[in-house]
Amino acid sequence: MAADNEISAIYYIQHHLQNLTFGYHPQNGWSLASSSTEAVEMGFWAIHLDTMGWSIGMGVLFLWLFRKAGKMATTGVPGGLQNGVEMVIEFIENLTRSTFHGKNPHIAPLALTLFMWILLMNSLKVIPVDYFPQLFGKLGFEYMKIVPTTDVNATLGMAFGVFCLIVYYSCKVKGVGGFAKELSLTPFNHWSLIPFNLVLEIVGLIVKPISLGLRLFGNMFAGEVIFILIALLPFWAIWLLDVPWAIFHILVVTLQAFIFTTLSIVYLSAAHEHH
């Protein structure tokens, strides 16, 4: 009986951590993966439908909320939505002014988009872990992970997007030659140490998006695992532990969105600086 319970618990954890994957399987052709093994066999070009769907959905929700707040804006007594949106915009403006030292009108809107999009995706974590898997299971879908930031593909995708902007603005502001010179002569300004500088700077440049994405993924994934483990406990223990952990995780959700946004601004600020 204990062995059966252990197997059941392992299956439950694996099931809740598996994405709804669509791709080309060598034997089944284009199909949804029915197991983690099939998902692996589909290879690199397989797509996580749940990650894509929920992340796009949260992006649309962000645009809809801010558009609605803009259309409802009044100089009189503002409503709750307008107050909330104005607070977020003011917060991001202050963060950008204190962190970004270049001149670029696109940085603040980018920071606002990153913060709100990540915050909304992270916030899906407060929904009970069984709710949507059971709901979509009744609709015929074997798997359903609703928190996009617990998928490393999503977090690294956003991080590499920031990385592309870092390289773009580094070349635009400093020129391709200036950017190459910065990589070659930093930190040691001597021609004989150019190979060492290049290795050091290129590794540091590549590590930025990787650490940015993995930090967000690691914190969100760990929190998801703990929610799943709590769900395996007896009924009385679930309420005893789940509510305090959910309240604590609200802080983590906001903090991780803040950290990702702040580091993105810092990296982009460095891309605008001349050395």
Side-chain angles (χ1 to χ4, degrees):
M1 182 65 70
D4 291 339
N5 290 336
E6 183 178 349
I7 293 173
S8 178
I10 293 173
Y11 172 78
Y12 178 85
I13 295 171
Q14 291 176 340
H15 178 272
H16 280 60
L17 295 178
Q18 175 65 38
N19 286 98
L20 179 65
T21 307
F22 177 80
Y24 183 79
H25 190 270
Q27 295 178 344
N28 303 329
W30 292 100
S31 60
L32 292 172
S34 59
S35 66
S36 58
T37 302
E38 283 192 10
V40 172
E41 291 173 347
M42 287 178 175
F44 177 78
W45 294 109
I47 184 172
H48 293 168
L49 296 180
D50 42 13
T51 296
M52 292 296 296
W54 288 102
S55 59
I56 292 172
M58 292 302 100
V60 171
L61 177 61
F62 159 61
L63 295 175
W64 178 78
L65 285 173
F66 275 65
R67 184 174 183 272
K68 183 177 180 181
K71 293 177 68 175
M72 294 172 56
T74 176
T75 56
V77 179
L81 179 61
Q82 183 179 340
N83 272 329
V85 168
E86 288 179 351
M87 287 175 61
V88 172
I89 291 176
E90 183 178 357
F91 168 72
I92 294 297
E93 284 182 344
N94 292 334
L95 177 64
T96 305
R97 287 196 188 100
S98 62
T99 309
F100 184 75
H101 305 298
K103 292 183 179 180
N104 191 330
H106 302 297
I107 300 302
L110 172 65
L112 176 64
T113 302
L114 283 174
F115 179 77
M116 283 304 304
W117 194 22
I118 295 172
L119 180 63
L120 288 172
M121 288 191 290
N122 289 352
S123 298
L124 291 170
K125 189 178 288 292
V126 301
I127 299 174
V129 293
D130 286 331
Y131 183 79
F132 277 103
Q134 290 180 357
L135 176 62
F136 278 85
K138 294 177 181 179
L139 297 176
F141 297 100
E142 181 69 19
Y143 304 103
M144 179 54 58
K145 277 181 66 178
I146 69 167
V147 186
T149 46
T150 60
D151 185 350
V152 70
N153 297 283
T155 59
L156 284 180
M158 290 186 293
F160 281 120
V162 174
F163 174 75
C164 290
L165 289 175
I166 293 171
V167 175
Y168 170 75
Y169 282 118
S170 294
C171 294
K172 181 179 180 181
V173 175
K174 305 167 187 177
V176 177
F179 183 41
K181 183 178 179 181
E182 180 180 275
L183 294 177
S184 303
L185 299 176
T186 304
F188 303 107
N189 190 11
H190 194 276
W191 65 268
S192 64
L193 293 174
I194 285 178
F196 177 77
N197 288 337
L198 283 174
V199 171
L200 194 64
E201 288 298 304
I202 290 175
V203 169
L205 189 64
I206 294 174
V207 163
K208 287 180 180 179
I210 295 176
S211 63
L212 195 63
L214 291 182
R215 182 184 293 105
L216 177 60
F217 162 73
N219 281 276
M220 292 299 102
F221 185 80
E224 185 76 356
V225 171
I226 292 177
F227 273 119
I228 293 171
L229 293 175
I230 291 175
L232 289 169
L233 297 174
F235 178 78
W236 61 268
I238 292 177
W239 284 102
L240 184 64
L241 297 176
D242 197 40
V243 174
W245 179 247
I247 294 173
F248 169 75
H249 219 67
I250 292 174
L251 300 176
V252 177
V253 160
T254 307
L255 181 61
Q256 290 305 313
F258 170 75
I259 291 173
F260 192 101
T261 304
T262 302
L263 289 177
S264 297
I265 299 173
V266 170
Y267 295 154
L268 289 169
S269 179
H272 286 72
E273 294 175 357
H274 291 275
H275 295 281

